[in-house]
Amino acid sequence: MNLRKAGAAAAIATALALTAAACGSDDDKSSGTDGKKDKIVVGIKYDQPGIGLKEPDGSFSGMDVQVATYVAKELGYDEKDIEFKETKSANRETALANDEVDFIVASYSINDERKQKVDFAGPYFLAHQDLLVRAGEKFTDAKELNGKKLCSVTGSTSAQNMKKDIAPDAQLVERGGYSECVSALQNGAVDALTTDDSILAGYAAQPANKGKFELSGLKLSDESYGIGTKKGSELTAKINKALEKMVSDGSWEKTMNDVFGPAGYKFEPAPQIGS
């Protein structure tokens, strides 16, 4: 009887050891011995030409994509190890809190309200809120916007700025993505699309939009783009170092010239990282 019990106990111990070994091998696939994951997930926009765009062939282009790729490489990841995931404006804080992404590079303006929920590395870019209008229909003053129909994206800083400060009496139409606003502008459903000038320049420069739209040239606000990280994440300091190197080695300016040169958009000098 005792021998049978001892044999059964040994069999159970062996089974548990094998199970543990199997679990250990799964962990090894997801994380190296240094604790670094095999892949890094980066949140970007999919519908912003020049900023973050998913191309028809499934590839990605834009300033944020290039910045994210540089940062990920400095963190030890090859391009093949980067997974880009769409994070719309209204979902960015949730995506970080739920660990759906490791960091977000998605025209993510730094402000006090957001800093209560997430941390930011950067800023890495300074944009200004402006208006995209039909060709020949420029606005010359923010006061002209009251009573007009303006389109922006739900959860964006631009929408909040318009409601609170710039033109509280404007009729604000909020959509899930900027492409929807461009369509609304084209068919006359709204008078203007408002967001950052860097984003608007990308839409205006698209071949299908050439000659149809123009920017009003109003600097309605300053928008400092940061890289969003989970509150308390150790990645924040590491990303700041990567951004500092990107500026110092000339990669930042080259990226901006490559992205915005064809659109004729004059970008601001690199902001001070960590400011």
Side-chain angles (χ1 to χ4, degrees):
M1 190 73 175
N2 288 337
L3 288 173
R4 283 198 297 272
K5 286 182 178 179
I12 292 170
T14 301
L16 288 172
L18 289 171
T19 302
C23 292
S25 68
D26 286 342
D27 289 341
D28 289 342
K29 292 178 183 177
S30 61
S31 177
T33 55
D34 59 356
K36 184 170 77 72
K37 298 189 300 181
D38 287 344
K39 287 191 176 292
I40 193 162
V41 183
V42 182
I44 61 168
K45 294 289 183 64
Y46 275 17
D47 68 340
Q48 293 181 350
I51 306 295
L53 184 69
K54 186 173 183 179
E55 303 284 358
D57 64 0
S59 62
F60 299 95
S61 66
M63 172 186 71
D64 283 347
V65 174
Q66 292 196 37
V67 170
T69 300
Y70 185 99
V71 168
K73 285 183 176 179
E74 288 300 305
L75 295 176
Y77 295 92
D78 294 329
E79 279 193 56
K80 63 180 177 59
D81 299 324
I82 305 170
E83 178 186 340
F84 289 116
K85 184 172 183 177
E86 184 177 25
T87 49
K88 295 186 176 181
S89 295
N91 302 330
R92 288 178 293 203
E93 287 82 24
T94 303
L96 287 169
N98 294 341
D99 294 317
E100 296 170 23
V101 295
D102 293 296
F103 61 88
I104 292 177
V105 194
S107 55
Y108 204 177
S109 297
I110 302 170
N111 61 39
D112 290 337
E113 182 179 349
R114 287 173 177 164
K115 285 194 289 186
Q116 300 300 313
K117 301 174 183 177
V118 303
D119 287 340
F120 283 102
Y124 64 92
F125 190 81
L126 176 61
H128 305 284
Q129 185 170 349
D130 198 3
L131 301 160
L132 186 70
V133 297
R134 291 178 289 274
E137 299 182 11
K138 280 187 178 182
F139 293 97
T140 58
D141 192 284
K143 293 178 182 178
E144 298 175 28
L145 303 176
N146 285 305
K148 299 295 184 180
K149 286 186 177 179
L150 308 177
C151 191
S152 196
V153 168
T154 304
S156 66
T157 303
S158 302
Q160 298 305 314
N161 288 344
M162 199 59 66
K163 287 178 184 176
K164 294 178 181 178
D165 304 311
I166 299 171
D169 294 328
Q171 299 177 52
L172 187 63
V173 178
E174 295 184 69
R175 294 285 185 259
Y178 290 110
S179 298
E180 297 172 48
C181 285
V182 172
S183 297
L185 179 61
Q186 185 168 356
N187 64 32
V190 298
D191 298 302
L193 157 58
T194 183
T195 188
D196 303 339
D197 51 6
S198 54
I199 299 170
L200 299 178
Y203 278 109
Q206 283 189 301
N209 294 334
K210 282 280 182 73
K212 294 180 181 178
F213 307 112
E214 61 181 321
L215 277 67
S216 278
L218 300 178
K219 293 185 177 182
L220 299 172
S221 70
D222 294 335
E223 304 298 334
S224 296
Y225 291 178
I227 295 182
T229 58
K230 189 173 183 178
K231 202 72 178 169
S233 173
E234 294 180 357
L235 277 180
T236 310
K238 295 177 181 178
I239 293 173
N240 271 333
K241 286 185 178 179
L243 291 173
E244 288 170 358
K245 182 179 178 182
M246 188 177 189
V247 173
S248 65
D249 70 11
S251 298
W252 184 91
E253 188 167 4
K254 182 180 185 305
T255 293
M256 301 308 153
N257 282 322
D258 289 346
V259 171
F260 295 120
Y265 172 71
K266 295 181 180 179
F267 55 87
E268 299 276 7
Q272 182 178 351
I273 310 301
S275 62

